[in-house]
Amino acid sequence: MGVTIKDIAALCGVSPGTVDRALNHRPGISEKTKARILQVAEQMNYQPDHMARSLAKGRTMTIGVVLFDLYNRSFSQLMNSIEAASRQQGYFVDLVLTNKDPENEKKCIEHLLLRKVDGIIIFAINQGEAFNDYLKSLSIPVVTICNYVSDDWSYIGIDDREAMKEAVRYICGKQYERFIYVCPPLAYRGKTNIYTQEERLAGCLEGLKESGIEAQPTVITDKDYIGSISRMDFGSGTKTAIICSCDIYALEVMNHLKGRGLRIPDDVGLMGFDNIDVLKYVSPALTTVEYAVEEFGSRAVQCVIEQIEQGTRTLVPRLPYQVITGDST
Amino acid sequence: MGVTIKDIAALCGVSPGTVDRALNHRPGISEKTKARILQVAEQMNYQPDHMARSLAKGRTMTIGVVLFDLYNRSFSQLMNSIEAASRQQGYFVDLVLTNKDPENEKKCIEHLLLRKVDGIIIFAINQGEAFNDYLKSLSIPVVTICNYVSDDWSYIGIDDREAMKEAVRYICGKQYERFIYVCPPLAYRGKTNIYTQEERLAGCLEGLKESGIEAQPTVITDKDYIGSISRMDFGSGTKTAIICSCDIYALEVMNHLKGRGLRIPDDVGLMGFDNIDVLKYVSPALTTVEYAVEEFGSRAVQCVIEQIEQGTRTLVPRLPYQVITGDST
DNA sequence: CTGAAAGCGCTAACAC
DNA sequence: GTGTTAGCGCTTTCAG
C-alpha cells in the first residue's frame, strides 16, 4: 500500500542502498543524486516503514511507561507531559497500568518487552534486590519516577522527606498539641514499594522533633483510616492536627470531619500533600505541598532518551517543591 | 539476543516452517513433532518477535487512542479501561493527546499511522466531511467515542440529549423562573467537533420546552464564562438555575457563587453533567448526570478489535445514564 | 560515489 | 506432514 524505498530507487534509476543514504543523510553520496532522490521521495510522499526499520535496526523508538493507574490526578498530569515530550522527540509511548499489583507490574513489563521498547519509565510498585536484578536483566535503560528502586536507575522526584519536614515545621507553629499522621500505604511495608511514603513519614517525624514536639504522632495505616479516625475524639481541648501523606486522604478525612460537624481548622487542623488540582474546588483551602509533576514527565523522557541515544546518564537533581499554606491548619 | 524460531528449528532438527506451524497451532503438522517443538520452545523460553511478525503479517496488534488530554477525569477513567481491555486481549495501546487542537489531532493521527496501528479509537476534535474522508482514507477501523463524526464509524456514548432533557425536567420541578446554560465550547461551533455539547444544549432546550417554560435560557458561551456570570444579578427575587454542560464548569461557577456569598441552592440553583469523581469532596452535592465511562472504554476496545479481526461491525447501543439528584438544585 | 547482497525474525505459498 | 523459498521494507557491509 505504501510507497517503499524500492519504488523510489526504481524511479530514480538507483539502488535501494543509495536511496537509504539520501534519506538518512548518510555520507557517501553525491549532492546531486541525493537532491534528486529527496525530491522524488517528497513528491511520492514517502513515509518510512517504522516496523521494517525497527526490525533492521533493533530499535523501536518506543518508550514504555509503567504507572499505577490514571485515577490519581498527578498520574494523569505526568502522563500528559510524557506523551507530549515523547512525541515531540519522535518517540512512541507504550502505556501499561499496574493497578498497584506487583504481579501485574511484571506482566506489564513483559508486555513492554514483547514490544521491544527502547527504554522504560516506571513508577514502581515492586522493590528490593530481586526486582532490581530483574530490571537489570532487561538490559535497556530504565528511569524510575516517584518511587525509588536503587541507584542503578535515574530517579525523578522531589525530596519528599525535606518537603514534608518543612510543611510539618510550618504546622508546628500553630499550637497543635496532638498529631495524627494518615498513610494507609505504610501497611504494605516490605510488600510493595512505598519509598515515597516512607520518606514523607520520616520527614514528618523529623519535622516534629525539630520543632520540639516530644509526643510521637499517632500513625494511622489502616486501609479503613476513616473508620479509625471516626473512633477518635476531637472535642476535648487538646488541639489536633491530622497530617495526611496525600491530598486524597486529606479530602476523605475532610469529608468525614465535616460530616461530624467539626470545624477545620478550629476543631481539627488538616494537611495534605501533592496539591492536586481539584483542591481549588474544596474549602477550606487545604494546606499542602506543591511540585511541578509535569516536569517529572519531561525530565523522565529526556533522561531515558539520553540513555537510549547517547548511552550516558546525567544525574537529575531532586526537583523543587513548595509548601502551600492554606486555611485548613 | 533472543532465541529465534531458527534456533528451535535447529535444535529440533526441523525447518523453521514447521516450528511456525507448531507455535501458531496451524494445521499440517503431526501431534508428535508439534508437542516436541512446543516443549523445546517452552524450555528455551522462546518469545516471538513482535516486530518481525508485524512486518510479515502486516498487522501490529496495536490500537491507537486519540484523546484530548488526560486532565479531565473522565478521560483518565476512559484510558484506564482502554488500557486494561486492550492488554487483556493481547493488544498494545498507542496513546496520543491532541490538546483539543484540530491541527495537532492530525499530527497525532499521522503519528499513529507511522506506527501502523491496526485500528483507532478517537475522541475527535475535528469534524465534517473532509475529516470524515480523511478517516476513510486511513482504511483501518475507527471507533468514535464521546464525539460523533458520522455513521461511517461506530460510536460509543450515551444519548446526551435525552440525558440532559431528563435532568432539566427534574430541575424544572423546582420552581425556577430564570435559566442560564453554561457551555463555553459552543463558541467553537463550526470550528471544532462539539457534537456532544450541541446535543446537551438541545436536550436542555427541549427539556425546558416540555416543562412548559416559555422563556429561552441565557446561553453563555464565553470562554470567560465566570466573568459573564459575575456581571449577573441573582439577588432580585427571580429564582435562577444555572445549568452547566459539564461538572467542571459547574464547579468553577460554584466557587464563584460562594465567593459572592450566594447560597446554593437557596439563592441560585446549580447543575453539572458527568458526575466526575471529585464531586464527592464538594458541597453542596451537585445535581448531575452519571454514566459508566469505564464501559465506554471496554466497549470501544471490543468494537475496534471486532472490526480488525472479523471485519464486522456490531452496532453499539447508546449506553445507560442516570440523573443524580444532589443538593445544589 | 554507487550497486549488490545479506540479513533482521517471522510468515505463507508451493513443492516434495 | 515437512522442507524450501521468497518475501515484509529497511539497513549495512562489502565490492567495485
Side-chain angles (χ1 to χ4, degrees):
Chain A
M1 21 158 278
V3 26
T4 79
I5 217 167
K6 262 190 195 162
D7 301 333
I8 301 179
L11 223 137
C12 290
V14 297
S15 74
T18 305
V19 175
D20 183 62
R21 275 181 272 257
L23 256 23
N24 294 308
H25 304 283
R26 286 189 313 167
I29 182 170
S30 74
E31 279 306 319
K32 215 171 104 192
T33 51
K34 177 168 175 178
R36 185 157 49 95
I37 291 171
L38 288 179
Q39 203 205 334
V40 172
E42 172 81 57
Q43 264 178 304
M44 300 183 76
N45 189 28
Y46 168 76
Q47 298 287 63
D49 184 308
H50 174 255
M51 283 304 147
R53 177 176 290 181
S54 295
L55 185 60
K57 304 204 12 159
R59 272 191 49 201
T60 56
M61 296 302 284
T62 305
I63 297 171
V65 178
V66 185
L67 295 179
F68 290 177
D69 54 54
L70 257 13
Y71 286 102
N72 190 321
R73 202 57 203 179
S74 316
F75 303 166
S76 306
Q77 293 177 234
L78 196 58
M79 191 55 209
N80 246 291
S81 58
I82 291 177
E83 190 276 335
S86 303
R87 189 152 47 82
Q88 202 241 322
Q89 304 252 16
Y91 276 77
F92 299 94
V93 167
D94 240 43
L95 171 67
V96 287
L97 269 14
T98 67
N99 291 301
K100 299 194 188 178
D101 173 355
E103 279 315 308
N104 195 32
E105 183 172 70
K106 295 216 180 113
K107 282 189 202 139
C108 284
I109 296 176
E110 297 299 332
H111 198 249
L112 294 179
L113 292 179
L114 282 181
R115 176 59 128 181
K116 299 254 190 314
V117 294
D118 295 330
I120 287 182
I121 295 173
I122 184 171
F123 188 158
I125 185 72
N126 276 292
Q127 59 171 356
E129 214 173 320
F131 181 62
N132 196 56
D133 287 345
Y134 173 68
L135 289 184
K136 274 188 196 161
S137 76
L138 309 185
S139 52
I140 54 174
V142 171
V143 170
T144 53
I145 189 163
C146 300
N147 245 356
Y148 176 86
V149 174
S150 91
D151 278 338
D152 291 328
W153 319 109
S154 296
Y155 174 73
I156 316 279
I158 64 170
D159 186 332
D160 287 277
R161 182 187 294 232
E162 281 303 316
M164 182 60 95
K165 195 197 288 186
E166 190 175 322
V168 166
R169 275 198 304 239
Y170 163 74
I171 302 282
C172 286
K174 301 269 189 170
Q175 333 298 55
Y176 289 103
E177 297 156 88
R178 182 167 62 139
F179 291 87
I180 296 173
Y181 189 80
V182 176
C183 183
L186 289 172
Y188 294 89
R189 203 175 331 225
K191 296 207 186 80
T192 65
N193 193 328
I194 52 167
Y195 170 82
T196 299
Q197 300 295 335
E198 294 270 26
E199 285 294 296
R200 291 184 186 176
L201 172 61
C204 174
L205 298 179
E206 288 175 15
L208 291 174
K209 201 166 178 186
E210 288 181 15
S211 307
I213 310 283
E214 292 300 321
Q216 286 292 307
T218 306
V219 178
I220 298 183
T221 62
D222 268 355
K223 196 172 171 188
D224 178 27
Y225 55 100
I226 295 298
S228 302
I229 291 174
S230 72
R231 277 170 245 117
M232 294 177 160
D233 181 29
F234 297 107
S236 55
T238 46
K239 209 178 156 199
T240 305
I242 302 181
I243 299 169
C244 301
S245 70
C246 300
D247 289 335
I248 293 290
Y249 305 134
L251 289 178
E252 291 288 344
V253 171
M254 185 184 281
N255 265 5
H256 167 73
L257 296 176
K258 283 179 179 171
R260 279 168 71 174
L262 290 161
R263 289 162 313 158
I264 304 170
D266 307 277
D267 297 323
V268 188
L270 185 61
M271 192 191 107
F273 200 109
D274 290 341
N275 197 29
I276 56 178
D277 62 357
V278 301
L279 292 189
K280 66 179 166 184
Y281 303 120
V282 173
S283 61
L286 195 65
T287 292
T288 187
V289 176
E290 174 185 72
Y291 49 89
V293 71
E294 283 95 348
E295 197 174 340
F296 286 24
S298 47
R299 291 283 195 137
V301 169
Q302 186 189 325
C303 185
V304 78
I305 290 182
E306 181 197 330
Q307 290 181 57
I308 294 170
E309 299 187 349
Q310 266 100 59
T312 62
R313 186 144 81 88
T314 306
L315 192 66
V316 179
R318 296 297 168 112
L319 298 174
Y321 58 85
Q322 193 190 352
V323 176
I324 305 287
T325 60
D327 305 319
S328 67
T329 46
Chain B
M1 27 159 274
V3 27
T4 78
I5 218 168
K6 263 190 193 163
D7 301 333
I8 301 178
L11 223 138
C12 289
V14 296
S15 75
T18 305
V19 175
D20 183 60
R21 275 182 271 257
L23 256 22
N24 294 307
H25 305 282
R26 286 188 312 167
I29 182 171
S30 74
E31 279 306 320
K32 215 171 107 193
T33 50
K34 176 169 176 176
R36 187 157 46 95
I37 291 170
L38 288 179
Q39 203 204 335
V40 172
E42 173 81 58
Q43 263 178 302
M44 300 183 77
N45 189 30
Y46 168 77
Q47 298 286 63
D49 185 309
H50 174 255
M51 283 304 147
R53 177 176 291 182
S54 295
L55 186 60
K57 305 205 11 162
R59 271 191 50 200
T60 56
M61 297 300 285
T62 305
I63 297 171
V65 178
V66 185
L67 296 179
F68 290 176
D69 54 54
L70 257 14
Y71 287 102
N72 191 321
R73 200 61 202 176
S74 315
F75 302 166
S76 306
Q77 292 176 236
L78 195 59
M79 192 56 210
N80 246 293
S81 57
I82 291 177
E83 190 276 336
S86 303
R87 189 153 46 83
Q88 202 242 322
Q89 303 252 16
Y91 276 78
F92 299 93
V93 168
D94 239 42
L95 172 67
V96 285
L97 268 15
T98 67
N99 292 301
K100 299 195 187 176
D101 172 356
E103 278 315 307
N104 196 31
E105 183 172 72
K106 295 218 180 113
K107 282 190 202 138
C108 284
I109 296 176
E110 296 299 333
H111 199 249
L112 294 179
L113 292 180
L114 281 182
R115 174 62 125 179
K116 298 252 189 318
V117 295
D118 296 330
I120 287 181
I121 296 173
I122 184 170
F123 188 157
I125 185 72
N126 276 292
Q127 59 171 356
E129 214 174 317
F131 181 62
N132 196 56
D133 287 345
Y134 173 67
L135 289 183
K136 274 189 195 161
S137 77
L138 309 183
S139 51
I140 54 174
V142 171
V143 170
T144 53
I145 189 163
C146 300
N147 245 357
Y148 176 86
V149 174
S150 90
D151 278 338
D152 291 329
W153 320 108
S154 296
Y155 175 73
I156 317 278
I158 64 170
D159 187 331
D160 287 278
R161 182 187 295 231
E162 281 302 316
M164 182 59 95
K165 195 197 289 186
E166 190 175 322
V168 165
R169 275 197 304 240
Y170 163 74
I171 302 282
C172 287
K174 302 268 188 169
Q175 332 303 59
Y176 289 103
E177 297 156 88
R178 181 167 64 141
F179 292 87
I180 295 173
Y181 189 80
V182 176
C183 182
L186 289 173
Y188 295 89
R189 202 176 331 225
K191 296 206 187 82
T192 66
N193 193 328
I194 52 167
Y195 170 83
T196 299
Q197 299 296 336
E198 295 270 26
E199 285 293 298
R200 291 183 186 176
L201 171 61
C204 174
L205 298 179
E206 288 175 16
L208 291 174
K209 199 166 179 185
E210 287 181 15
S211 306
I213 310 283
E214 293 300 321
Q216 285 291 307
T218 306
V219 178
I220 299 183
T221 62
D222 268 354
K223 198 174 171 187
D224 178 27
Y225 55 99
I226 295 298
S228 304
I229 291 174
S230 71
R231 277 171 244 116
M232 294 178 160
D233 181 29
F234 298 107
S236 55
T238 45
K239 210 177 156 199
T240 305
I242 302 181
I243 299 169
C244 302
S245 71
C246 300
D247 288 335
I248 293 290
Y249 306 134
L251 289 178
E252 291 288 345
V253 171
M254 184 184 282
N255 265 6
H256 168 72
L257 296 176
K258 282 180 179 169
R260 280 170 70 175
L262 291 162
R263 290 162 311 159
I264 304 170
D266 307 277
D267 297 323
V268 188
L270 186 61
M271 192 190 108
F273 200 108
D274 291 340
N275 197 30
I276 56 179
D277 61 358
V278 301
L279 291 189
K280 65 180 168 185
Y281 303 121
V282 173
S283 62
L286 195 66
T287 292
T288 187
V289 176
E290 176 185 70
Y291 50 88
V293 70
E294 283 94 347
E295 198 175 338
F296 285 25
S298 47
R299 291 285 194 134
V301 169
Q302 185 189 326
C303 186
V304 77
I305 291 182
E306 181 197 329
Q307 290 181 57
I308 293 169
E309 299 186 349
Q310 266 100 58
T312 62
R313 188 144 80 88
T314 306
L315 192 67
V316 179
R318 296 297 168 111
L319 298 173
Y321 58 84
Q322 192 189 352
V323 176
I324 306 286
T325 59
D327 305 319
S328 67
T329 47

